[in-house]
Amino acid sequence: MAENSKTVIVTGAARGLGQAYGWAFAEQGWRVVVADRDGLDQTMEGFQNPDNHLALPVDVADIASVQAMVAGAIDKFGAVDALINNAGLYGALTGGRAEDIDEAEWDRCMAVNVKGTWNCCRAIIPHMRSQTSGAIVNVASLAAVMGMPYGLHYTTSKAAVIGMTRALARELGRDSIRVNCIAPTAVNTEGTAEFFGDVLDKQMDAVVKSQSLRQALEPEDVVGTVLYLAGDASKLITGQTIMVDGGTVFL
């Protein structure tokens, strides 16, 4: 099947990396389903041919909402070939010492970043299994590999996503479903600005200085890896976590 006849779901697509992923897939000829809790108008306006794409509301922490999203995508396009699990809590989180993290915020972080990723996977797996093909790309973070301090809830949630990716890749390989993961460093997005707040410039400078390639990452620097993992060029790659971090850690 040609790439330009394929359909992809991108969650968390109202802004930032998710929005960039959606636009990049469209430029490659994919039919794109962008999903988020709200705020998808700008993303849809960025498509050259918006009638070829679809915006759907979703709360990834709610399995019924996720199942409705998947059903809507299949109803519109007949099949879903790839899922990009980008939705997650990041900018809205409050950093701090491990013992001071608010329990309710911890639970919400796990509900969205971990359970939300699982919900999207378990909603799409039966469909991909029935067609004996599919690619799932989960989004983790450099934080999970580096062990980012003062953000234990976020770091823990993204480490869980890496473990989930590996287990699913083992389980779903016999159905020709590939599951991979990307782990970006801090990228210049609204979420990063919100997370670092008043110390954004200082923190981004420290991030860049830790890289082998000393250049701050923009959204367009990440999309190529996602396109690769979702497409046929990576048809025998599964269970992998690819660092998109300017050469901060080497796996």
Side-chain angles (χ1 to χ4, degrees):
M1 184 182 292
E3 299 283 80
N4 61 9
S5 66
K6 290 189 173 185
T7 299
V8 60
I9 295 175
V10 182
T11 65
R15 64 177 192 169
L17 285 173
Q19 186 179 75
Y21 299 151
W23 289 343
F25 275 105
E27 289 173 0
Q28 295 296 313
W30 289 64
R31 297 170 298 195
V32 183
V33 179
V34 289
D36 214 315
R37 290 176 63 91
D38 50 42
L40 287 164
D41 289 348
Q42 184 187 55
T43 303
M44 290 299 291
E45 290 168 1
F47 290 125
Q48 186 173 358
N49 298 300
D51 290 343
N52 294 340
H53 311 292
L54 179 65
L56 292 174
V58 70
D59 176 359
V60 296
D62 179 355
I63 185 59
S65 177
V66 174
Q67 289 170 334
M69 174 194 69
V70 170
I74 295 170
D75 182 63
K76 173 71 172 179
F77 296 118
V80 175
D81 303 282
L83 165 68
I84 314 303
N85 275 320
N86 174 72
L89 282 185
Y90 174 39
L93 295 174
T94 303
R97 292 182 175 180
E99 67 270 26
D100 296 330
I101 293 174
D102 179 72
E103 184 176 356
E105 183 169 296
W106 176 282
D107 290 344
R108 181 61 181 163
C109 181
M110 299 303 156
V112 175
N113 294 4
V114 183
K115 184 181 177 182
T117 300
W118 173 50
N119 279 342
C120 291
C121 289
R122 63 176 172 147
I124 201 68
I125 285 169
H127 172 70
M128 289 184 170
R129 185 176 281 129
S130 71
Q131 64 190 18
T132 325
S133 66
I136 297 171
V137 181
N138 296 325
V139 179
S141 169
L142 172 68
V145 180
M146 287 281 290
M148 182 179 72
Y150 308 111
L152 183 65
H153 42 357
Y154 180 74
T155 300
T156 302
S157 71
K158 292 303 185 178
V161 169
I162 293 174
M164 189 187 309
T165 298
R166 292 171 177 170
L168 285 173
R170 295 280 187 195
E171 183 173 334
L172 301 178
R174 67 191 62 188
D175 298 301
S176 298
I177 301 169
R178 300 183 298 107
V179 189
N180 289 291
C181 185
I182 66 164
T185 187
V187 182
N188 276 327
T189 64
E190 301 96 323
T192 297
E194 291 167 2
F195 184 78
F196 288 130
D198 294 339
V199 295
L200 174 64
D201 291 342
K202 179 180 179 181
Q203 291 297 324
M204 289 301 291
D205 183 62
V207 166
V208 171
K209 286 180 178 177
S210 71
Q211 299 173 185
S212 299
L213 303 172
R214 297 197 171 185
Q215 179 178 329
L217 271 71
E218 302 293 336
E220 55 266 27
D221 297 318
V222 185
V223 296
T225 306
V226 174
L227 290 171
Y228 171 67
L229 291 174
D232 291 339
S234 60
K235 65 181 181 180
L236 288 178
I237 295 177
T238 194
Q240 303 303 309
T241 297
I242 297 181
M243 309 302 299
V244 187
D245 64 357
T248 305
V249 298
F250 303 138
L251 298 181

Short mmCIF file of all heavy atoms in Angstrom, two decimals, residues 38-63:
data_model
loop_
_atom_site.label_atom_id
_atom_site.label_comp_id
_atom_site.label_asym_id
_atom_site.label_seq_id
_atom_site.Cartn_x
_atom_site.Cartn_y
_atom_site.Cartn_z
N ASP A 38 -9.60 19.73 22.67
CA ASP A 38 -10.23 20.86 21.98
C ASP A 38 -9.13 21.62 21.25
O ASP A 38 -7.97 21.22 21.24
CB ASP A 38 -10.99 21.78 22.95
CG ASP A 38 -10.15 22.19 24.16
OD1 ASP A 38 -8.94 22.48 23.98
OD2 ASP A 38 -10.67 22.20 25.28
N GLY A 39 -9.49 22.73 20.61
CA GLY A 39 -8.51 23.63 20.03
C GLY A 39 -7.87 23.16 18.74
O GLY A 39 -6.73 23.53 18.44
N LEU A 40 -8.59 22.36 17.94
CA LEU A 40 -8.02 21.81 16.73
C LEU A 40 -8.22 22.69 15.49
O LEU A 40 -7.75 22.33 14.40
CB LEU A 40 -8.60 20.42 16.46
CG LEU A 40 -8.09 19.32 17.40
CD1 LEU A 40 -8.99 18.09 17.32
CD2 LEU A 40 -6.66 18.93 17.06
N ASP A 41 -8.87 23.82 15.63
CA ASP A 41 -9.15 24.67 14.47
C ASP A 41 -7.87 25.10 13.76
O ASP A 41 -7.78 25.05 12.53
CB ASP A 41 -9.96 25.91 14.89
CG ASP A 41 -11.39 25.57 15.28
OD1 ASP A 41 -11.82 24.43 15.00
OD2 ASP A 41 -12.07 26.43 15.85
N GLN A 42 -6.88 25.54 14.52
CA GLN A 42 -5.63 26.01 13.91
C GLN A 42 -4.93 24.88 13.17
O GLN A 42 -4.38 25.09 12.08
CB GLN A 42 -4.70 26.59 14.97
CG GLN A 42 -3.42 27.19 14.38
CD GLN A 42 -2.43 27.62 15.44
OE1 GLN A 42 -2.04 26.83 16.30
NE2 GLN A 42 -2.02 28.88 15.40
N THR A 43 -4.94 23.69 13.75
CA THR A 43 -4.31 22.55 13.08
C THR A 43 -5.01 22.26 11.76
O THR A 43 -4.35 22.06 10.73
CB THR A 43 -4.37 21.31 13.99
OG1 THR A 43 -3.73 21.61 15.24
CG2 THR A 43 -3.64 20.14 13.33
N MET A 44 -6.33 22.25 11.75
CA MET A 44 -7.07 21.98 10.51
C MET A 44 -6.81 23.07 9.47
O MET A 44 -6.69 22.78 8.28
CB MET A 44 -8.56 21.85 10.81
CG MET A 44 -8.93 20.60 11.58
SD MET A 44 -8.53 19.05 10.70
CE MET A 44 -9.71 19.12 9.35
N GLU A 45 -6.69 24.30 9.92
CA GLU A 45 -6.44 25.40 8.99
C GLU A 45 -5.06 25.28 8.34
O GLU A 45 -4.83 25.83 7.26
CB GLU A 45 -6.56 26.74 9.72
CG GLU A 45 -7.99 27.09 10.12
CD GLU A 45 -8.06 28.27 11.08
OE1 GLU A 45 -6.99 28.81 11.43
OE2 GLU A 45 -9.18 28.61 11.51
N GLY A 46 -4.14 24.55 8.98
CA GLY A 46 -2.80 24.40 8.45
C GLY A 46 -2.69 23.35 7.35
O GLY A 46 -1.65 23.25 6.69
N PHE A 47 -3.75 22.56 7.14
CA PHE A 47 -3.74 21.58 6.07
C PHE A 47 -4.06 22.25 4.74
O PHE A 47 -4.99 23.06 4.65
CB PHE A 47 -4.78 20.47 6.33
CG PHE A 47 -4.44 19.56 7.47
CD1 PHE A 47 -5.33 19.37 8.51
CD2 PHE A 47 -3.23 18.86 7.50
CE1 PHE A 47 -5.04 18.52 9.56
CE2 PHE A 47 -2.93 18.01 8.54
CZ PHE A 47 -3.83 17.84 9.58
N GLN A 48 -3.33 21.88 3.71
CA GLN A 48 -3.58 22.44 2.39
C GLN A 48 -4.95 22.03 1.86
O GLN A 48 -5.66 22.82 1.22
CB GLN A 48 -2.49 22.00 1.41
CG GLN A 48 -2.59 22.66 0.04
CD GLN A 48 -1.40 22.33 -0.84
OE1 GLN A 48 -0.48 21.64 -0.43
NE2 GLN A 48 -1.43 22.83 -2.06
N ASN A 49 -5.34 20.77 2.14
CA ASN A 49 -6.65 20.26 1.74
C ASN A 49 -7.35 19.69 2.96
O ASN A 49 -7.37 18.47 3.18
CB ASN A 49 -6.49 19.17 0.66
CG ASN A 49 -5.86 19.70 -0.60
OD1 ASN A 49 -6.40 20.61 -1.22
ND2 ASN A 49 -4.72 19.12 -0.97
N PRO A 50 -7.95 20.54 3.79
CA PRO A 50 -8.53 20.06 5.05
C PRO A 50 -9.63 19.02 4.87
O PRO A 50 -9.86 18.22 5.77
CB PRO A 50 -9.06 21.35 5.70
CG PRO A 50 -9.13 22.35 4.61
CD PRO A 50 -8.05 22.00 3.65
N ASP A 51 -10.29 19.00 3.72
CA ASP A 51 -11.35 18.01 3.50
C ASP A 51 -10.81 16.59 3.45
O ASP A 51 -11.57 15.63 3.60
CB ASP A 51 -12.10 18.32 2.21
CG ASP A 51 -12.94 19.59 2.30
OD1 ASP A 51 -13.19 20.03 3.43
OD2 ASP A 51 -13.33 20.13 1.25
N ASN A 52 -9.51 16.44 3.23
CA ASN A 52 -8.88 15.12 3.19
C ASN A 52 -8.53 14.61 4.58
O ASN A 52 -8.03 13.48 4.71
CB ASN A 52 -7.60 15.16 2.36
CG ASN A 52 -7.87 15.45 0.90
OD1 ASN A 52 -8.98 15.26 0.42
ND2 ASN A 52 -6.85 15.92 0.19
N HIS A 53 -8.78 15.42 5.60
CA HIS A 53 -8.36 15.09 6.96
C HIS A 53 -9.55 15.22 7.91
O HIS A 53 -10.64 15.60 7.50
CB HIS A 53 -7.19 15.98 7.36
CG HIS A 53 -6.11 16.01 6.33
ND1 HIS A 53 -5.33 14.91 6.04
CD2 HIS A 53 -5.71 16.99 5.46
CE1 HIS A 53 -4.49 15.21 5.06
NE2 HIS A 53 -4.70 16.47 4.69
N LEU A 54 -9.34 14.90 9.16
CA LEU A 54 -10.44 14.85 10.12
C LEU A 54 -9.97 15.27 11.50
O LEU A 54 -8.90 14.84 11.95
CB LEU A 54 -11.00 13.42 10.18
CG LEU A 54 -12.16 13.13 11.14
CD1 LEU A 54 -13.41 13.90 10.71
CD2 LEU A 54 -12.44 11.64 11.20
N ALA A 55 -10.75 16.09 12.16
CA ALA A 55 -10.48 16.49 13.54
C ALA A 55 -11.51 15.82 14.46
O ALA A 55 -12.72 15.87 14.19
CB ALA A 55 -10.56 18.00 13.70
N LEU A 56 -11.03 15.19 15.52
CA LEU A 56 -11.91 14.51 16.45
C LEU A 56 -11.53 14.86 17.89
O LEU A 56 -10.35 14.93 18.22
CB LEU A 56 -11.80 12.99 16.29
CG LEU A 56 -12.35 12.39 14.99
CD1 LEU A 56 -12.03 10.91 14.92
CD2 LEU A 56 -13.86 12.61 14.89
N PRO A 57 -12.53 15.07 18.74
CA PRO A 57 -12.23 15.31 20.15
C PRO A 57 -11.86 14.01 20.84
O PRO A 57 -12.38 12.94 20.50
CB PRO A 57 -13.56 15.85 20.70
CG PRO A 57 -14.59 15.20 19.83
CD PRO A 57 -13.97 15.09 18.46
N VAL A 58 -10.96 14.10 21.81
CA VAL A 58 -10.61 12.91 22.57
C VAL A 58 -10.05 13.31 23.93
O VAL A 58 -9.33 14.30 24.05
CB VAL A 58 -9.60 12.01 21.82
CG1 VAL A 58 -8.22 12.67 21.75
CG2 VAL A 58 -9.49 10.64 22.47
N ASP A 59 -10.41 12.53 24.93
CA ASP A 59 -9.75 12.56 26.23
C ASP A 59 -9.09 11.22 26.38
O ASP A 59 -9.76 10.20 26.62
CB ASP A 59 -10.77 12.80 27.35
CG ASP A 59 -10.16 12.75 28.74
OD1 ASP A 59 -8.93 12.52 28.86
OD2 ASP A 59 -10.91 12.94 29.72
N VAL A 60 -7.77 11.15 26.22
CA VAL A 60 -7.10 9.86 26.17
C VAL A 60 -7.19 9.11 27.49
O VAL A 60 -7.00 7.88 27.51
CB VAL A 60 -5.62 10.01 25.74
CG1 VAL A 60 -5.53 10.55 24.32
CG2 VAL A 60 -4.83 10.86 26.72
N ALA A 61 -7.48 9.80 28.57
CA ALA A 61 -7.62 9.12 29.86
C ALA A 61 -8.95 8.40 30.00
O ALA A 61 -9.15 7.63 30.95
CB ALA A 61 -7.46 10.12 31.01
N ASP A 62 -9.85 8.59 29.04
CA ASP A 62 -11.20 8.01 29.06
C ASP A 62 -11.31 7.02 27.91
O ASP A 62 -11.33 7.41 26.74
CB ASP A 62 -12.22 9.14 28.92
CG ASP A 62 -13.67 8.64 28.90
OD1 ASP A 62 -13.88 7.41 28.89
OD2 ASP A 62 -14.57 9.49 28.86
N ILE A 63 -11.39 5.73 28.21
CA ILE A 63 -11.38 4.72 27.17
C ILE A 63 -12.57 4.86 26.23
O ILE A 63 -12.43 4.62 25.00
CB ILE A 63 -11.34 3.29 27.77
CG1 ILE A 63 -11.19 2.23 26.65
CG2 ILE A 63 -12.52 3.03 28.65
CD1 ILE A 63 -9.99 2.36 25.78
#
